[in-house]
Amino acid sequence: MLGAPGVGKGTQAKKLEEDYSIPQISTGDILRDAVKNHTELGVKAKRYMEEGKLVPDDLMIDLMRERLKSDDAANGYILDGFPRTISQAEALEKMLDEVDSPIDSVIEITVDYEDLVRRIVNRRVCPACGSNYNLIDKPPRPDGSCAKCGERVIQRPDDNEETARTRLEVYDEQTKPLRSYYSSSGLLRQVDGEGSIEEVSASIKEVLQISSSLT
Ligand code: AMP
């Protein structure tokens, strides 16, 4: 899944996870867990995440190399938040070539810039089950708890307006070049992210069906 912060990658990846029974692999979630548990990776990543900057490529590539070896990834997976740089994309391609299991599709969700900032600052997440909420169109329960597991939802520390704008700049500079990278290899499918969660999900499934019928 490709797309700017706040575009809905996580929400849509979770829907695909349920519908296709393959795991969502979110590097942001893995890093947030690492920070929470004070692991070596978490200690190294924390500062970059708080500033809205990217964690260095070598750390991310090692993390992904290990994650993709897990049993649950044997039948496929949805990558959410990786790759985020051309170096990461090249390393991923090499890793997947080695196991002869190339990427099927790259879905890019697109949304207007100001809408992204609005979505990011209104986002709330459940720290227990990872469910995503939005104060505008998908609020948690009125008492601020998660509709799925009852835990109190929180705002991510990097979801304030200033860090959101830095993350969007970083996205433009370092991640947007992946659009032409995957477009030239014929894998890129773009989906308008402005509709409801269900509408965007339907568009994603449509493009996935088209791309699987082409291969
Ligand atoms: P996300 O939840 O995908 O918005 O990621 C939250 C933060 O984790 C980002 O702002 C980065 O600091 C870091 N991060 C997540 N994925 C990557 C990646 N592939 N490369 C570098 N940093 C990442």
Side-chain angles (χ1 to χ4, degrees):
M1 309 285 296
L2 200 62
V7 84
K9 295 187 298 293
T11 301
Q12 294 299 333
K14 278 200 165 56
K15 283 189 84 62
L16 291 173
E17 174 176 64
E18 283 166 20
D19 296 343
Y20 290 84
S21 301
I22 51 173
Q24 167 206 19
I25 299 182
S26 156
T27 42
D29 286 349
I30 296 172
L31 291 170
R32 277 182 289 278
D33 261 1
V35 171
K36 198 163 102 192
N37 295 320
H38 307 285
T39 65
E40 200 184 325
L41 171 67
V43 171
K44 287 183 184 155
K46 188 167 187 268
R47 183 169 48 96
Y48 297 100
M49 295 174 77
E50 281 172 354
E51 290 175 5
K53 309 259 172 72
L54 292 185
V55 174
D57 283 336
D58 53 342
L59 291 178
M60 297 309 301
I61 292 166
D62 287 350
L63 181 163
M64 194 47 68
R65 187 173 286 116
E66 285 311 306
R67 180 64 186 86
L68 293 184
K69 284 182 192 158
S70 303
D71 287 348
D72 71 337
N75 294 322
Y77 40 81
I78 304 136
L79 292 182
D80 163 13
F82 186 94
R84 255 174 154 106
T85 63
I86 295 282
S87 300
Q88 291 179 16
E90 286 170 348
L92 176 67
E93 201 172 325
K94 218 165 137 217
M95 274 179 234
L96 298 183
D97 273 353
E98 282 164 16
V99 289
D100 197 20
S101 177
I103 295 174
D104 294 318
S105 297
V106 177
I107 308 281
E108 184 192 15
I109 309 178
T110 56
V111 163
D112 274 356
Y113 180 88
E114 280 308 321
D115 205 20
L116 289 172
V117 177
R118 190 178 61 95
R119 286 182 185 213
I120 293 173
V121 298
N122 283 290
R123 171 161 55 193
R124 298 293 180 272
V125 292
C126 173
C129 72
S131 295
N132 278 312
Y133 295 94
N134 193 298
L135 298 182
I136 303 159
D137 48 20
K138 196 195 166 200
R141 287 187 189 140
D143 67 353
S145 64
C146 172
K148 201 169 166 191
C149 75
E151 182 75 28
R152 193 163 191 79
V153 304
I154 56 159
Q155 183 174 32
R156 278 172 40 179
D158 58 345
D159 275 350
N160 61 75
E161 180 158 350
E162 191 191 341
T163 314
R165 291 196 189 274
T166 305
R167 287 160 64 204
L168 290 169
E169 272 168 33
V170 166
Y171 178 79
D172 266 353
E173 280 165 22
Q174 301 189 61
T175 309
K176 230 182 199 169
L178 291 178
R179 185 186 281 173
S180 46
Y181 181 88
Y182 285 121
S183 167
S184 60
S185 54
L187 290 170
L188 187 73
R189 311 276 179 267
Q190 286 179 311
V191 168
D192 179 2
E194 296 283 357
S196 68
I197 293 172
E198 295 307 327
E199 283 165 346
V200 177
S201 169
S203 309
I204 291 177
K205 281 193 200 144
E206 204 176 307
V207 296
L208 283 176
Q209 256 157 23
I210 297 170
S211 46
S212 69
S213 68
L214 294 176
T215 51

